[in-house]
Amino acid sequence: MLLYIPWFRAEAWMIPTPWGTPIAIHPFGLLVATGVVLGAWLARWKAQRDGLHPETVMNLAGWVLIPGFISAHVFDDLAYRPQLVAEQPWHLLFIWDGISSFGGFFGAVAGAFVWSRRRKLPGLAFADPIAFAFPLGWLFGRTGCFVVHDHPGRVTTFFLGVADYEVGYPPYQVRHDLGLYEVIWSALVVGLFFFLARKQRPRGLYLALLALLYAPVRFGLDFLRATDFAMADTRYFGLTPGHYAAIVLVVIGTLTAITVARRPWPEIPRWARWPEPGPEEVPTESAT
């Protein structure tokens, strides 16, 4: 008899308060927040190690995160819930209600491009520490997805299937959990990136690798998404929006890799390097 991962769901922790109304701490939100904090710390560490000013990288991170979160919701609504948008277009403003990882990626790319133009800095160089740190943050985020099981897959006999997966109507069956598979992917990429970080690499390499390593895996995983219950993902010509987005991400990753290979090592202004420049080397506000 095959042994599968037993069904569980991490519920919110209710923290009592002096005023009587408890505060709910949701495991998903806690894990995502932990991933953001650890990712930011790792990005700062990598920036300093690469001779980039960590505050400049963190400034870029703000330009990446904010449009990323907004785009994640807009993409989710337009790609996965077009009927809802047609009936309630104002739902596009409810950025807390549904997100798509690919929407977040594309919004982050757009934010980084605008930042690079405004600051007149090589975007690939400063985005690289963020890309390096991303798999660690993703590891915690996808762990949050796994413990609440919000990415159900098809019925399976695979040994990593989750038994009695509570989706649809009983009797419940063994199913793939796509959040778990991305946890495994994240752990492997974290190990690979730290292995590569033993030597200095071309600026932009981790950004290209991140796209090229994630897109094919995600393209394959989307074939495992459940189709036998009411909330199954929308499909266009038999493929999910994630399939099409993965193809776009492969193109972005390939173009990034070509750019990294062909362009000379980018020049970094002294004020944007690490160790921190002296006061006489810091530009005025108008210069930045």
Side-chain angles (χ1 to χ4, degrees):
M1 180 178 177
L2 291 175
L3 296 178
Y4 301 108
I5 298 172
W7 170 261
F8 68 95
R9 177 178 279 134
E11 304 294 344
W13 302 315
M14 305 306 294
I15 309 299
T17 62
W19 53 88
T21 303
I23 297 176
I25 304 296
H26 295 275
F28 174 80
L30 182 62
L31 284 164
V32 170
T34 301
V36 171
V37 171
L38 290 179
W41 171 83
L42 185 59
R44 292 179 65 94
W45 173 82
K46 189 65 169 65
Q48 292 176 334
R49 200 166 183 268
D50 290 349
L52 302 174
H53 202 296
E55 294 305 322
T56 306
V57 172
M58 288 298 98
N59 180 262
L60 169 59
W63 281 77
V64 165
L65 287 173
I66 294 174
F69 275 116
I70 295 173
S71 179
H73 171 70
V74 172
F75 184 89
D76 183 73
D77 264 8
L78 295 178
Y80 291 94
R81 297 182 284 187
Q83 186 62 35
L84 175 63
V85 175
E87 296 172 356
Q88 303 175 25
W90 56 86
H91 193 269
L92 289 169
L93 302 176
F94 301 165
I95 61 173
W96 59 88
D97 188 10
I99 58 174
S100 162
S101 56
F102 276 122
F105 292 158
F106 297 146
V109 170
F113 179 80
V114 173
W115 179 90
S116 176
R117 293 291 184 178
R118 286 176 58 91
R119 298 297 299 267
K120 296 181 174 57
L121 289 171
L124 289 182
F126 285 89
D128 220 32
I130 298 173
F132 178 86
F134 180 85
L136 179 62
W138 201 245
L139 174 65
F140 282 87
R142 283 312 196 195
T143 299
C145 294
F146 172 59
V147 300
V148 298
H149 300 293
D150 60 358
H151 293 292
R154 295 176 181 267
V155 174
T156 184
T157 57
F158 186 50
F159 76 99
L160 287 178
V162 175
D164 300 318
Y165 206 116
E166 294 185 8
V167 65
Y169 298 100
Y172 300 122
Q173 298 172 284
V174 180
R175 291 182 180 271
H176 294 290
D177 190 298
L178 305 187
L180 172 62
Y181 298 159
E182 291 206 26
V183 169
I184 297 171
W185 175 88
S186 300
L188 292 174
V189 176
V190 168
L192 172 64
F193 278 13
F194 271 102
F195 174 79
L196 293 175
R198 297 183 305 165
K199 297 180 180 179
Q200 192 174 49
R201 306 291 177 179
R203 300 191 191 277
L205 174 67
Y206 295 104
L207 194 62
L209 281 177
L210 183 64
L212 292 175
L213 290 172
Y214 183 71
V217 171
R218 176 60 186 274
F219 188 88
L221 288 179
D222 265 35
F223 284 112
L224 300 181
R225 289 187 177 274
T227 60
D228 56 345
F229 61 95
M231 298 302 292
D233 286 344
T234 302
R235 281 171 168 73
Y236 303 92
F237 304 104
L239 299 178
T240 68
H243 281 124
Y244 297 105
I247 295 171
V248 175
L249 191 60
V250 166
V251 174
I252 293 174
T254 301
L255 293 175
T256 302
I258 292 172
T259 301
V260 170
R262 290 184 175 178
R263 280 189 181 178
W265 197 269
E267 180 65 27
I268 307 298
R270 178 68 188 96
W271 60 267
R273 300 180 204 164
W274 186 264
E276 194 169 8
E280 70 282 357
E281 298 178 278
V282 178
T284 63
E285 184 65 26
S286 60
T288 62

